[in-house]
Amino acid sequence: MKKIVGAVLASVLCGSALFAYNPPAGAQNVLRLTEPQLLTGANSAAGGGIFGATPASIINNPALTAWEQRSTLDLAGTLFVNSNTDYPNFDNTLGGSFQGGLLIPSRWCVSTLLVQGIWTDFFAMPVGNSFNFTGGLSKDITDQVSVGMTANFGLLYGDAVNSDWTLSAAFGAYYNYGDLFFMKNLRFGVSMNNIGKMYSGGSKTLGIESVKNFKDDEDVSDGTSWPGIATIRTGIAASFLKTDVMELGSSLDFSVPAFQNFVMDLGLQIQLWDFLKISSAWEFDVREFANDAKNIIPSIGVSFKFIFSSKEGSYMANKGWAQSDMTVSGAYRNLYKDVNAVSAGALLNLGMADTKAPEVIMWDGE
C-alpha cells in the first residue's frame, strides 16, 4: 500500500513540474457542494459505506444508479457563510447553491437529470457563480457489474472570475464483490471524469497558491482551469458491522485531478433501525493543504427516512405509488477556515422497492 501511495505522489509531483496547476480553492468539488449526501462524501465512487444512490451520485460515478427501481425526485440547497470580508471583490458574506434531480428507471437503462447552481464569490473559495446541467445513463451488465456515462454543460460568471462555459463527459464502472472475511457487501467503483473543456476564470481567477501569497498591492490572479481535466476517481467501500439494529460502513476514495494532484476521501456511515443514518467524511487534498487552503475538520450529516401512504383513488395511488418513502437530510461542513456550509435536502422515492424474487409456477398441482 505504501508503495502504491508513493508512486501516486511521485507522479503528481512530476506532473506538477511539467504543467501549471493552480485552480481556485474548492474548484475540484464545486459540484459536490449542493446537497447533504455529497457534502459529507456519503456517495463515493463505490456508493458510500452503506450503499445508497441518488440522482447526485452520478457526480462521483455515473454507474451507481443502475440498480434503482423507482422514480426519484431530489431537491436540496446549501448555505455558505463567509466570515472574512476584508478583501476587495470578495466581500460577500453569504453564498449558496441549489440542486434539482430526477431519476427515471426503464427496461433498458436508468436515466438521470441533475441541475445545480452555485454562488461562491469568497476570497477563501473564489469559484464564482455557475449553472450546471448533467445528464446520465447507467445500465447493469450482470448482477454485480454496472456501467454508466454522463454529459455536463455549465455557464460561469461572477466578480471573482471572467464569464466562461464548460462541456464535458464522464464514464464509470461499478463492481459488487460480495462478502470477504469481515467485510460485508464489498464494492469497487472507478470513473473517468471531466473529459472535455473545463471552466477557465481568466485573468481574475485567484488560485490556491495566489490565496496563500495574496498581497493587496500585487496582482496574483493566475488561477488555472477547473475541475481537473481527465480526473480518475477510484473507490472501495464495505460494511464492517451489521445487526438487526445497526449497520456500520466505511468508504475510501482516491482521485488524481489532471494527474497533478492527489486527493483522498474517507467516509464513515452508521445506520440505525433502517431509518436513521449518520454520515461523516474527511478529505485530504495535497495541493490545498500545501497552500494552507484546506481545513482538517470532518463533515457531519444526518438523514431520516419515513414511509407514507397515499389514499386510494389519489393520483399517486393510481400511478402505482400507493406507498412511497422520503428521506430528509442535513449536513454541516467547515470547507475552509473562513467558509462554512450548511445543507438540507429531501429525496422522494416513488413507490416501494421490489425486494421479493419472482415466483415461477410450473404447474398448478391438479
Side-chain angles (χ1 to χ4, degrees):
M1 182 64 182
K2 292 182 178 179
K3 292 182 179 179
I4 296 175
V5 173
V8 172
L9 291 175
S11 65
V12 168
L13 293 176
C14 291
S16 302
L18 295 175
F19 305 100
Y21 180 86
N22 188 26
Q28 300 300 339
N29 291 326
V30 67
L31 298 183
R32 297 187 178 92
L33 304 175
T34 56
E35 73 159 15
Q37 288 88 349
L38 291 176
L39 204 64
T40 57
N43 293 329
S44 71
I50 300 173
F51 184 83
T54 72
S57 298
I58 61 176
I59 298 298
N60 288 323
N61 186 345
L64 291 177
T65 57
W67 282 280
E68 293 305 296
Q69 304 174 11
R70 299 174 292 173
S71 296
T72 302
L73 300 175
D74 187 8
L75 293 174
T78 302
L79 177 68
F80 304 111
V81 181
N82 175 34
S83 60
N84 191 341
T85 59
D86 296 334
Y87 298 93
N89 298 326
F90 303 100
D91 58 353
N92 297 310
T93 303
L94 299 177
S97 66
F98 78 90
Q99 172 185 296
L102 174 64
L103 183 150
I104 302 176
S106 68
R107 178 181 177 184
W108 307 108
C109 66
V110 176
S111 305
T112 307
L113 177 63
L114 193 65
V115 180
Q116 297 169 293
I118 301 100
W119 296 273
T120 56
D121 273 334
F122 302 147
F123 176 78
M125 195 171 69
V127 183
N129 310 318
S130 63
F131 285 96
N132 302 273
F133 306 86
T134 306
L137 298 174
S138 61
K139 174 67 176 177
D140 56 315
I141 305 302
T142 70
D143 291 339
Q144 296 173 295
V145 178
S146 67
V147 295
M149 64 175 294
T150 63
N152 170 264
F153 172 73
L155 298 171
L156 174 72
Y157 66 97
D159 295 332
V161 295
N162 291 326
S163 298
D164 197 27
W165 57 276
T166 182
L167 181 63
S168 64
F171 301 90
Y174 167 88
Y175 173 56
N176 188 329
Y177 178 85
D179 297 343
L180 179 65
F181 302 118
F182 60 92
M183 294 179 289
K184 307 298 182 182
N185 197 25
L186 178 62
R187 292 160 279 117
F188 302 90
V190 61
S191 62
M192 172 66 83
N193 304 310
N194 311 327
I195 305 172
K197 180 193 179 302
M198 300 295 98
Y199 282 131
S200 177
S203 59
K204 292 195 295 183
T205 306
L206 196 64
I208 49 177
E209 295 180 5
S210 308
V211 169
K212 181 179 181 180
N213 303 311
F214 185 83
K215 295 180 181 179
D216 289 337
D217 58 347
E218 295 182 11
D219 183 9
V220 291
S221 300
D222 55 356
T224 56
S225 61
W226 74 87
I229 192 170
T231 295
I232 296 176
R233 184 180 184 92
T234 61
I236 180 172
S239 295
F240 297 96
L241 175 64
K242 189 172 184 179
T243 68
D244 293 338
V245 174
M246 184 183 76
E247 182 176 358
L248 171 67
S250 183
S251 61
L252 180 64
D253 282 47
F254 299 103
S255 60
V256 283
F259 296 97
Q260 300 174 68
N261 192 8
F262 176 77
V263 182
M264 180 182 72
D265 291 276
L266 178 63
L268 180 68
Q269 289 186 295
I270 301 174
Q271 182 162 298
L272 302 171
W273 299 289
D274 197 35
F275 67 85
L276 177 64
K277 185 183 291 185
I278 302 171
S279 304
S280 183
W282 178 75
E283 181 182 78
F284 175 71
D285 185 306
V286 169
R287 289 301 194 92
E288 290 195 352
F289 270 95
N291 288 280
D292 300 327
K294 195 71 173 179
N295 209 321
I296 62 174
I297 300 175
S299 61
I300 183 70
V302 178
S303 64
F304 179 82
K305 181 175 72 174
F306 60 92
I307 298 173
F308 63 93
S309 301
S310 300
K311 63 181 181 180
E312 186 176 350
S314 66
Y315 174 80
M316 294 188 67
N318 292 337
K319 287 289 186 179
W321 303 328
Q323 275 196 323
S324 302
D325 66 69
M326 175 178 287
T327 300
V328 293
S329 54
Y332 166 78
R333 183 173 176 180
N334 181 222
L335 294 169
Y336 299 95
K337 181 176 67 173
D338 300 319
V339 181
N340 293 277
V342 180
S343 184
L347 184 75
L348 175 62
N349 291 306
L350 300 174
M352 297 299 293
D354 185 5
T355 58
K356 183 178 179 180
E359 181 180 0
V360 179
I361 300 175
M362 302 300 294
W363 58 84
D364 59 10
E366 296 181 0

